[in-house]
Amino acid sequence: MLNTAIASLTSGGAYALLGVGLVLTYRMTGVLNFAHAVVGAFGTYTAIVAFEVGVPYGLAMVAGIVVAASVSAGIGLVMARWFAEATTIVRSTVTIAVFLGVLVVGFRLFGDTPRVVPAILPGVRVEVATVTLTASTLVAVGGVAVLAAAVAWFLAKTRTGIILRAVSERPTTARLLGAPLQTLVVAVWAVSGAVAGAAVAIIAPTRTNDYASLAILILPALAAALLGGFRRVGVTILAGFGIALVELLGARVPAVAQYRTVVPFVVILGALLWMQRKEVWDEAR
Amino acid sequence: MRRGDLVLLGSLALGTVLFALLPSFWAFLASSAYISALLISSVGVVYGRAGMVSLCQVTFAGIGGWVVGAIGLSTSLPFPIALLVGALAAVPVGVVIGLPALRLRGVNLAVVTLGFAVAVSSALFVQGFPGARTNQPVARPALFDGERAFLLFTAAIFLLVAAALILTRRTRLGAAWEAVRHSERATAALGLSVPLVKLSAFAVSAFVAGLAGGLLAAQLGFLNARNVEPVDSLIVFVIGVFVGAHHVGGAVVGGVLGAFFPELLRRLNIPQDVGPILFAIGATQILAQGGRGLAEILARRRRPAAETRAVVYLHPPAGPPPPPISGRSSGDGAVLRASGIGVRYGAVVALEDVDVALARGRILGLIGPNGAGKSTLVDVITGFHRQDTGTVTLGTKVLDGMPAFRRAQLGLRRTFQTERTVPSLTAGDYLRLAAGGHLDPAAVGELLAFLDGPDPDTPVFGIDTGMRRRLEILGCLAARPAFVLLDEPAAGLTEEESTRLAERLREVPGRFDVGVLLVEHDIDLVVATCDEVVVLDFGRVIARGEPTDVLASDVVAEAYLGV
C-alpha cells in the first residue's frame, strides 16, 4: 500500500501542477484553458527532439519549458488583445480551438508514436527504510510544494497578485485603475505554460507517452481543478495526488486495469454532482 | 418555413441528384459531407442555439453506430429502424452525462463531455465495434446499397433533420433554447426550467449525432475506434463554431469542408492535417468578432436591409380605451404576501423583517435609496434569492424553497433592472415564448399596441432599449399572471416615454387583472401610478401609505436627501 502510494506520487505531482496552472489562468484571467496540457506536451516533445539530436539533457529540458512558456504566452496575448471583454465561455471556447490547433501541429511535427523519454537523473534514488524515491518523484513533489507556496504568497501578499485578482473579476475597472493588463495576463500565461511543460516532462517517462496521450493529461488536471472549485490551490493539489492514487490502485485490479482513463471522468461527474447542491445563476443581477 | 430556407433545402436536393450522377467516388465523398453536416448540426443545437459547449458529439455518433451494428448482427430489423434505435440510444446516455453539468453555469458541460469522450473511446470503442471481429459489415438499407443510391438515402435523412430543426425555430422549444443561451435568469423568469431546456437541447443534439453515427457505420461497413476518436469531436465542434452550425447552410458548408477539403489538400499534395489548423484559426477569428459563424456573416452580407431597416412602431387605435384583454389570468392568489423577510450577506444586512402585501388590481410602489434592498426583495419574492428568515405566500400557497420558474408558472412574473429580452427572437416570438401557452396573432398585436410596441416580426436586437424594456413588461403580461414585479421599468427611458409608460401602467391592473409591484426611482412615475408606497432604507421599511403622504414625510426626506 505504502509503495503504491509512493509510486503514484510522480503522476500525482504532475496532475497537481497542471491543475494549479488551470486554477491560476481561471482565477487571474477568467479562462478555463483546455489547451493547457497540449501546450505542455508540445514543450516536452520539443525537449525530446532536441535531446535526440544531441542537445544535453538539461539544456533540452530548459528549451522545452521555454517553448511551452512561449506558446502559452502567445495564447495569453491573443486573449488580452482580442478577448479582454469576452465572457468566460467565449474565451474557453477559444482555448478549445487552440487545443485542436496545437494538437494537430504537434502531430505533424512529432508524429503519433511513443518515444523513449529520458527520466530525470535516472541514477538518483533516495531510500528511506523500505521505500525508494526516484528523482522524478522528488522533483514532482518538490515542484508542487514550491509552486503552492509561491502561488499562495504571490496572490495574497504582492501588489501584482492583488491586481491580477482584480483583472480577473473586472478587467475594464482594473485597466482604469492603471493595471498594465496585457503584460500581466501574458506573464500569467507564460508561467502557467512553463509549469505545464515541466509537469508533462516529469510524467512522460513513466507512461504511454505518445503526443496525444500527453495532451489528454488535461483530463486529470481538469478533474483536480474542478474539485478545487477552480479557486482553491490547496484542494486542487490534494485532488491531483488523490486522482493519481485511485488510478494506480485501479491499475492493480486486473478487471478494471484497462479503464484507467475512466477515472478522471468519474471524478468529474462526482465533483459536479456534489457542487450542484446549490443553484447558481449565470450572471450577477 | 421562410422562403430562403426552402430555396436552400431545394437546391441541396437538386445538387445531391447531380452528385449521384458522378462516379461513385464523388458520391461517397458527398455522403461523407452529409454525415459531417449532421454532426455539425448536432453542434448547432447544443452550442449554436442553446449556448453550451459539448465535446463528445462524435462519441454519440459512435454509440449510434455501435447500436446499429449490434442490431444488424442479432436481428433482421430493416436499416431505417435500426438507425432510429441507434440514434435514440444516444439520448439517454446524453441525459445521464449532461444532468450533473446543467444546473451549474458555464463550461462544465465541456469538461464532462471531454472526459466522457476519452473514457468511452479508450474503455469501449477500442474493444472493437460489433461485427468487426467476425468480419460482418453493417448492412446498408436494402434499396440503397450502391454508393450513389446511399448518397440519396443520406441526403434524405439530412434534409429531414434540417427541415425539422428549421421548424423548431418557431416553436416554444426553439425559442427557449435561444433564451437560455442569452440568460439563464431570464429563462427562469419566463417560467421555464433552465435544466430542462438545456437538457432538451443536449438530448436532441445527441439524437442527431447518433443518426450520423448510424449512417457512418453503414457507409463504411466497419467502424473502428479510429473513426470516432475524441479529437474528431474537437474538430466537429471547432468547425461548428467556425461555420455557424445552428444554420443549415452553415452545417452544409462545414460538412463540405470536412469531407472535400482533405481531398482537395491531398490532390494539391498539401498535408491533410492543415485542415483542422485552418478551422481552429477561423473559429478564433469568428469568436473574436463576437459573431455566430460564417453562415451568419454571409447571410448578413446578402440581405443587409433586413438588419438595418427602421423599426415600425404600432400605435394604439384612437377612440375609447379598449375593453379588458380577453383570456383568464392564471393563479388563484388574491394576495401576494412577504412577511418578516430577512436577508444577510455575511455581516451586511440587506433586508430585515420586511413585510409587504399586494392585492390583485392594485399597484404597490417600492422605493428607497440605492442599496436599500429593493431588488433583493424582488429576488426573494420571485425565487431568485433565498431569504434567511420570513416567508412568501401567494394566496394560501407557501412559496418558500420553490424554484423561480415554478413561481413564474404560478403567476408571479418579473422584469429585471437591466432588461433581459432575447435579442435573437422577434418581438412576436418573444411574447409567444413569454406567454407560456398559445397566443394568437391578434393577441400579440393587441399587446404590442398597448405599449406602443414594434411590428411583431421585428427582431429584438434591432429595437431600442426603451422599447425592449416595454417588451419585457409585455412579456410578463402576455403570460396573464396574477402579479408582476417590475424592477425599475423607467430606467433609461426618456421623460416622454416615462410619462407615457405611467399612463399605461395605470391601466394595467384593470385590463389584465394583476397586482403590480413597482420598484422605481422616478418619483413622478410612482406618484402617478401607485395606490400605495413602501419605503425601504438599509433593508428596513421606514414608511408606508398613500404616495403623496409618504413622500411628504420627514423620514423619507431624510433617507433620500440626508437632511
Side-chain angles (χ1 to χ4, degrees), chain B residues 457-537:
Chain B
D457 290 330
T458 314
V460 171
F461 65 76
I463 58 183
D464 63 78
T465 319
M467 186 58 248
R468 285 193 209 183
R469 288 192 156 275
R470 300 205 294 279
L471 186 65
E472 202 180 14
I473 299 173
L474 288 172
C476 289
L477 296 173
R480 307 312 317 272
F483 295 96
V484 294
L485 292 80
L486 307 178
D487 200 348
E488 297 192 26
L493 262 54
T494 64
E495 192 162 342
E496 195 186 338
E497 283 177 318
S498 181
T499 315
R500 176 94 182 130
L501 182 65
E503 276 172 33
R504 287 311 200 173
L505 279 182
R506 205 44 266 180
E507 293 176 33
V508 162
R511 263 172 172 258
F512 295 91
D513 187 24
V514 292
V516 179
L517 182 84
L518 180 66
V519 175
E520 195 44 76
H521 279 298
D522 183 338
I523 296 299
D524 291 338
L525 183 75
V526 171
V527 173
T529 55
C530 295
D531 302 301
E532 192 194 342
V533 170
V534 169
V535 188
L536 281 180
D537 192 23

Side-chain angles (χ1 to χ4, degrees), chain B residues 76-158:
Chain B
S76 55
L77 282 177
F79 180 79
I81 302 219
L83 184 64
L84 195 64
V85 174
L88 286 173
V91 172
V93 179
V95 169
V96 168
I97 64 157
L99 214 47
L102 295 174
R103 262 184 70 185
L104 297 150
R105 62 183 146 171
V107 288
N108 292 302
L109 192 69
V111 176
V112 75
T113 49
L114 182 63
F116 179 69
V118 172
V120 172
S121 176
S122 59
L124 184 66
F125 290 166
V126 289
Q127 298 184 10
F129 279 74
R133 216 170 298 157
T134 49
N135 207 20
Q136 288 168 284
V138 175
R140 290 186 180 181
L143 292 172
F144 300 96
D145 198 29
E147 220 49 80
R148 299 168 190 180
F150 186 70
L151 167 61
L152 295 180
F153 183 83
T154 312
I157 298 282
F158 175 79

